[in-house]
Amino acid sequence: MSAPLDLKVNRGGLFEIVRYSPDLKAEWDAFVSQSKNGTFLFFRDYMDYHSDRFADFSLMFYLDGRLFALLPANRESDALWSHHGLTYGGLIMSDRTTVARTQQLFLELNVFLQRQRFNRVVYKHIPWVYASIPSEEDLYALSSVCHASIKCRNVSSVVQLSKRLPLSTLRKRGLKRAQRADLTVQECADFATFWQLLESHLLQKYNARPIHTLSEISLLKKRFSDNIRLYTVCHGNELLGGTVLYVDGRIAKTQYISASETGQKEGALDLLFYQLMEDYSCRGLCYFDYGTSNLVGSDALHESLIFQKEGFGGRAVCYDTYEWNLSFRP
């Protein structure tokens, strides 16, 4: 019988590496709160809502007895993903992080993963717009230590709210139509009605379903009421469109967008996003992220989708996924 796998390693290395367990939840969440590139997606109450779908293998790195970094991750066969169930999920760092220490961290991480019978790592870097201060120490280590290659590069459209570009001519026309039609934008608590519109739209246009079920998004809204916001556009009592925003610190991101056929004709989304950018700019946020515009399961560009987002002034920020192989040690 083979020896049991280690859950902790600190054999002459700089770091002690500990696999996350529920008794470490408070320490994990506290570090996310104080990190320079963490968002509410990394709190355990968010990550663990879909724990039944993913075999969690999140890691905590200690230096001289103090928590130094976190890696949200899950195991799929012989691969460590960081994290397959999240839009992004790379190394979460504090302002103590330096390049040299991060290089050493990845050296020791690779040894640890080899001992845990992993053959490769798939790593989703956290885009720079989500960091409060520069935080690309991990990118340098991916190249210099892991010799990682880009597995997938998706492109998002982000507006810098303090330097907004003018709306395109098409978006301005839509905005004027919506204003003439007396459409109204409001924050809404009725996720069920919006989900009906969203599911119908995704099924008809893409033969797809939302990543979250209604019960899941309702649960997450209850847990993160300030971070998950639903805004709708209506004509009277008729729902014409809406968006679910993930709001965190300095950035708001569209998680879901949908409009009815009437809403598309009347410029509902043009009014919605014009008002939201105005509102969140006044609240002092730095960026408005319209999300990625790639075909499902591919890094090929969805040209009509990005055309709409660029019409609001969004410009490219890459969401990169890296991969590297580990030399297997039995």
Side-chain angles (χ1 to χ4, degrees), residues 36 68 93-103 137:
K36 64 178 182 176
F68 179 82
M93 300 173 277
S94 74
D95 56 12
R96 298 172 59 208
T97 306
T98 63
V99 171
R101 283 178 171 175
T102 306
Q103 285 184 299
E137 290 83 0

Side-chain angles (χ1 to χ4, degrees), residues 133-148:
I133 62 174
S135 58
E136 295 190 346
E137 290 83 0
D138 60 335
L139 286 186
Y140 185 77
L142 293 188
S143 174
S144 63
V145 173
C146 304
H147 307 293

Side-chain angles (χ1 to χ4, degrees), residues 133-264:
I133 62 174
S135 58
E136 295 190 346
E137 290 83 0
D138 60 335
L139 286 186
Y140 185 77
L142 293 188
S143 174
S144 63
V145 173
C146 304
H147 307 293
S149 58
I150 293 179
K151 175 182 175 67
C152 179
R153 168 167 282 169
N154 289 337
V155 64
S156 186
S157 301
V158 178
V159 174
Q160 185 174 345
L161 291 174
S162 64
K163 295 182 180 179
R164 286 164 55 187
L165 299 175
L167 298 179
S168 69
T169 300
L170 198 59
R171 301 278 69 83
K172 287 179 180 177
R173 289 174 182 168
L175 174 60
K176 290 179 180 178
R177 283 199 306 274
Q179 291 170 335
R180 287 195 299 266
D182 200 27
L183 306 189
T184 58
V185 174
Q186 61 184 357
E187 188 167 6
C188 180
D190 187 2
F191 277 76
T193 301
F194 176 73
W195 231 247
Q196 292 178 355
L197 174 64
L198 177 66
E199 289 180 331
S200 175
H201 172 76
L202 290 177
L203 186 61
Q204 291 177 13
K205 193 163 186 178
Y206 303 108
N207 194 29
R209 298 184 67 82
I211 295 172
H212 301 90
T213 65
L214 175 60
S215 61
E216 287 173 341
I217 198 67
S218 299
L219 172 65
L220 291 172
K221 170 62 177 176
K222 184 176 180 180
R223 291 179 178 177
F224 300 98
S225 59
D226 291 335
N227 301 105
I228 299 175
R229 319 293 286 261
L230 170 62
Y231 294 90
T232 58
V233 189
C234 296
H235 184 257
N237 293 324
E238 181 184 3
L239 175 64
L240 300 183
T243 185
V244 175
L245 291 187
Y246 277 15
V247 183
D248 194 288
R250 47 195 258 125
I251 188 166
K253 178 186 180 297
T254 60
Q255 186 69 15
Y256 294 104
I257 304 170
S258 190
S260 68
E261 186 174 342
T262 301
Q264 293 173 36

Side-chain angles (χ1 to χ4, degrees), residues 34-105:
Q34 300 299 317
S35 68
K36 64 178 182 176
N37 65 337
T39 70
F40 80 95
L41 273 67
F42 299 127
F43 288 127
R44 296 309 309 196
D45 281 342
Y46 190 96
M47 288 184 59
D48 293 341
Y49 88 88
H50 52 19
S51 58
D52 58 321
R53 299 185 212 165
F54 301 99
D56 189 84
F57 208 95
S58 298
L59 299 173
M60 306 172 74
F61 302 84
Y62 292 84
L63 178 65
D64 298 328
R66 290 179 59 191
L67 188 56
F68 179 82
L70 305 173
L71 184 63
N74 66 284
R75 183 168 200 155
E76 289 190 9
S77 185
D78 67 342
L80 182 83
W81 282 76
S82 73
H83 181 295
H84 208 173
L86 299 175
T87 307
Y88 44 80
L91 195 69
I92 303 172
M93 300 173 277
S94 74
D95 56 12
R96 298 172 59 208
T97 306
T98 63
V99 171
R101 283 178 171 175
T102 306
Q103 285 184 299
Q104 184 64 29
L105 183 152

